[in-house]
Amino acid sequence: QIDQLEHCLQTATRAERAGADIDMVVASLCHDMGKAISNANHPAIAAEMIRPWVSPDAYWVVKVHQDFQGLHYYARMGLDPMMRRKHQDHPAYELAARFADEWDQTAFDPEYDTLPLEHFEPMVREVFSRPPRRGG
């Protein structure tokens, strides 16, 4: 019922309203941009695109978000809906679960009071104007 841009704006709105830091809000906004290249591999693509500018936790959440999102639909595809368990020892596990369950999964509501792209522009500019980090 909503397009991809609205979904990403809604995910970022939910993250911001939940008190996420700027890196996680911008990562939420960008989490599905890899779908422009490959739906199946979109988390890894999006994560690598933002990696030099966001925190390691925000990068990791985007990278693994499909494994966490699987709780909501993998069983219908014959896959393990608890794929997220393989990440249970990661320090950002709870953040990834919150992202998937509270912000991403719920961000398909055409009636939600979603903030416009212009609202996020200062955050995007701040994050992507940082000197890029090298390596992991």
Side-chain angles (χ1 to χ4, degrees), residues 20-76:
D21 66 26
I22 189 172
D23 286 29
M24 199 60 231
V25 172
V26 171
S28 296
L29 183 66
C30 297
H31 78 280
D32 277 345
M33 67 184 177
K35 287 183 177 182
I37 298 168
S38 167
N39 193 51
N41 201 29
H42 79 273
I45 295 166
E48 291 307 319
M49 290 172 76
I50 66 173
R51 183 179 198 163
W53 296 279
V54 299
S55 68
D57 285 351
Y59 158 78
W60 184 80
V61 167
V62 171
K63 183 178 176 183
V64 301
H65 81 268
Q66 195 162 332
D67 288 348
F68 282 77
Q69 198 67 13
L71 175 67
H72 305 283
Y73 68 92
Y74 274 4
R76 293 190 300 266

Side-chain angles (χ1 to χ4, degrees), residues 76-97:
R76 293 190 300 266
M77 300 169 59
L79 300 171
D80 178 9
M82 292 305 296
M83 186 125 10
R84 64 176 62 187
R85 283 187 292 221
K86 71 181 181 179
H87 305 293
Q88 65 190 5
D89 293 329
H90 194 280
Y93 180 91
E94 292 301 323
L95 179 59

